[in-house]
Amino acid sequence: MKNKGVLVVISGFSGSGKGTLIKALLERYPNYALSVSCTTRKPRTGEAEGRDYYFVSEEEFRRMIETGELIEYASYCGRYYGTPRAYVEKRMEEGQDVLLEIEIQGALQIKKKFPDTVLIFVTPPSAAELKRRLTGRGTETEEVIAARLHRAAEEADGMEQYDYLLINDELDACCATLHQIIQCQHHRAFLHREEIAALCGELK
Ligand code: 5GP
């Protein structure tokens, strides 16, 4: 079997708990690499350059688009976010499964460019729970919370375009399911075209 890593997009409403879920996945299972995005938004308290994001100016972001350094990018609530190409390609070549925590516009760009990508959408158990988590986080102003809730309603329309829907009710169970979904991708027949062709050749 070929050892190339799988590309995984994880999206979810702001407040869906996807950040905590991804952190748990990285802690519990080996062989995952999380891509760090570039953004033009300002760092939140506690966020670190190069760990949470690469915080860049709009000018720098535009330069990265022009030079093809980003495999996708999107605007979200007035700020730009994008995925650096080099890290993703290198880690996949090395056989690691690469996780992109990105929003829907970027997810669909990735699926178009790399159809083998698995798209996973994480939701909280209910809309009421989503509102509670978003307000309870205490890191955002009311205006930002309102914009993010509005955006959540828009994103809900695109959920059906994802391959899997994951309800983030109980962290341990959700993390185990996420791992299973990703590992199953390694066995998808279309990822093994070369082995299948070789087998057919030998049988004839
Ligand atoms: P936040 O500001 O809360 O960190 O992120 C806002 C949204 O941008 C989230 O839905 C997050 O998944 C998404 N996001 C983060 N990085 C990227 C990226 O590189 N590309 C795209 N398209 N979305 C991203």
Side-chain angles (χ1 to χ4, degrees):
M1 295 239 280
K2 240 189 331 188
N3 286 323
K4 202 165 174 251
V6 168
L7 187 55
V8 184
V9 165
I10 302 179
S11 302
F13 307 127
S14 182
S16 63
K18 63 184 186 300
T20 310
L21 180 62
I22 291 171
K23 196 164 165 268
L25 186 80
L26 292 167
E27 280 168 7
R28 293 174 198 190
Y29 301 98
N31 210 38
Y32 287 115
L34 176 64
S35 161
V36 177
S37 297
C38 296
T39 183
T40 61
R41 86 152 160 74
K42 298 278 167 283
R44 291 187 192 124
T45 313
E47 284 185 333
E49 165 73 17
R51 185 191 67 197
D52 299 287
Y53 281 105
Y54 297 106
F55 297 97
V56 300
S57 65
E58 279 205 27
E59 192 186 4
E60 172 67 0
F61 199 93
R62 269 194 290 274
R63 189 197 61 74
M64 294 177 94
I65 296 171
E66 277 159 26
T67 53
E69 284 169 57
L70 303 176
I71 47 174
E72 63 73 37
Y73 67 93
S75 158
Y76 179 95
C77 297
R79 302 289 175 196
Y80 287 106
Y81 295 81
T83 304
R85 176 186 302 279
Y87 177 88
V88 172
E89 291 182 347
K90 182 165 180 285
R91 289 306 176 92
M92 283 178 69
E93 271 316 314
E94 288 168 358
Q96 283 197 291
D97 295 336
V98 178
L99 311 174
L100 309 184
E101 185 197 331
I102 65 176
E103 54 64 71
I104 187 165
Q105 299 170 58
L108 299 179
Q109 287 176 48
I110 291 279
K111 186 77 173 180
K112 213 166 168 189
K113 280 189 202 158
F114 312 101
D116 296 349
T117 306
V118 51
L119 301 188
I120 303 172
F121 199 96
V122 181
T123 71
S126 67
E129 176 64 14
L130 175 65
K131 285 184 189 167
R132 198 190 61 74
R133 288 188 196 174
L134 207 49
T135 323
R137 192 151 70 176
T139 52
E140 318 289 354
T141 62
E142 273 187 25
E143 202 183 340
V144 169
I145 293 170
R148 284 170 180 245
L149 278 172
H150 179 75
R151 180 61 188 241
E154 280 173 9
E155 287 196 331
D157 282 340
M159 278 162 62
E160 278 186 34
Q161 297 180 70
Y162 281 69
D163 299 310
Y164 296 93
L165 182 64
L166 199 54
I167 297 170
N168 189 9
D169 200 349
E170 207 274 306
L171 181 66
D172 290 339
C174 192
C175 185
T177 307
L178 178 59
H179 177 62
Q180 282 167 5
I181 291 172
I182 299 169
Q183 293 316 304
C184 282
Q185 299 307 306
H186 285 280
H187 302 278
R188 299 289 299 271
F190 65 77
L191 289 180
H192 300 283
R193 294 173 194 109
E194 286 162 27
E195 292 97 314
I196 293 170
L199 183 66
C200 289
E202 281 171 38
L203 289 174
K204 277 173 193 159

